[in-house]
Each structure stands twice: as C-alpha cells, then as structure tokens.
Amino acid sequence: MSNRHFSRTLAMQTLYQWDFNGGKESCEEILKEQSVEISPSAVDVSFAESLIAGVLENKKAIDELIAKFAPEWPIEKINIVDRNVLRIGIFELKFNPDIPAKVAINEAIEIAKSFGGESSGKFINGVLGAIYKEMGEKK
C-alpha cells in the first residue's frame, strides 16, 4: 500500500477520534498519538495533516454536501467512520485540485470497506459518485 493510503487512513482515524469526542480534543494531539503507533516510514504525516486541516477548514461546506447528496441520512445519523471517510473524500474531490477525482473516490471506498460496516463502501461510492457526476466529471 502506498504512503498516501496510510496517510488517509491516519487522517480518518484522527478525525474519527476527534468526532467521537465531540471535537473536544485537538486533532494535532490525536494525530501525534496515532502516528506514534504507525511506522513513520509508512506514513506521510504532512499529507495526513493537510487532509485533516482541509476537512476542518471546509467542514461546513463538506457537511452541506453530505446533507444534499445523502438526504435520507442526517449527518449525525451517519456512522462516525462513514461520516469522516466522506469528509476526506469530499475534501479531496471538491477542494483539492491536486488529487484526481477517481483517486479520491477509490481511496475513500477502500478505507470505508476496511473500517466501516458491510454497506459502507456502497454508501461512500453512491454519495461521492453523485457529487462527481454533478461536477460534470471535470477532474
């Protein structure tokens, strides 16, 4: 697996813990704790930091997109793994032009399959696919 895949996983785990604790902990501290448990050579921590910062900076717009493209699932009812995988995927898809759209979608699906529930991959694919389609497949 690539360093970026591990970095996305680290970002998701950090955001998961932050979200689970109601945003009461600093993502910087959580990331530091999480990255100690993973081999430093396997993870590009700066990439994980940029994902986390991007998600937090654009959280309101990202959550609005989730609400728009998953209207039958209020944001607080989406399980924490799926919610944060979506946040990272949407950040990469909509707000990070350096990441190809198909890479953002595929990575999000793979992380959801690894950490989410039985239908997480399909759910993530459906939401991100709909956003991508609305974007006019520009990326």
Side-chain angles (χ1 to χ4, degrees):
M1 280 186 220
S2 76
N3 284 354
R4 285 206 162 182
H5 180 78
F6 283 121
S7 298
R8 285 180 178 95
T9 299
L10 179 60
M12 188 280 298
Q13 290 171 321
T14 299
L15 288 167
Y16 174 96
Q17 185 173 336
W18 172 82
D19 196 2
F20 182 81
N21 292 319
K24 294 176 185 166
E25 289 182 79
S26 157
C27 279
E28 291 173 355
E29 288 300 314
I30 298 168
L31 179 62
K32 187 188 295 183
E33 292 170 13
Q34 293 284 339
S35 62
V36 167
E37 297 178 20
I38 299 173
S39 169
S41 64
V43 173
D44 178 354
V45 176
S46 64
F47 183 64
E49 288 172 333
S50 70
L51 289 174
I52 294 164
V55 166
L56 295 177
E57 184 177 310
N58 296 286
K59 184 179 168 296
K60 184 176 188 287
I62 291 169
D63 286 356
E64 287 171 358
L65 285 167
I66 295 171
K68 177 180 177 181
F69 288 95
E72 57 283 341
W73 289 96
I75 192 86
E76 66 278 353
K77 297 291 183 191
I78 298 172
N79 79 54
I80 299 173
V81 169
D82 291 354
R83 183 168 55 229
N84 287 291
V85 169
L86 277 173
R87 286 174 174 157
I88 292 168
I90 292 169
F91 167 70
E92 289 193 306
L93 190 61
K94 293 285 285 184
F95 300 98
N96 190 343
D98 297 334
I99 305 296
K102 291 183 180 183
V103 170
I105 293 168
N106 288 336
E107 284 289 318
I109 293 167
E110 289 306 311
I111 292 170
K113 286 179 180 178
S114 295
F115 293 94
E118 190 175 307
S119 61
S120 292
K122 290 178 184 175
F123 177 65
I124 299 299
N125 185 38
V127 174
L128 294 181
I131 292 170
Y132 179 63
K133 187 175 181 180
E134 184 184 78
M135 290 170 57
E137 301 179 10
K138 296 175 192 170
K139 286 176 109 179

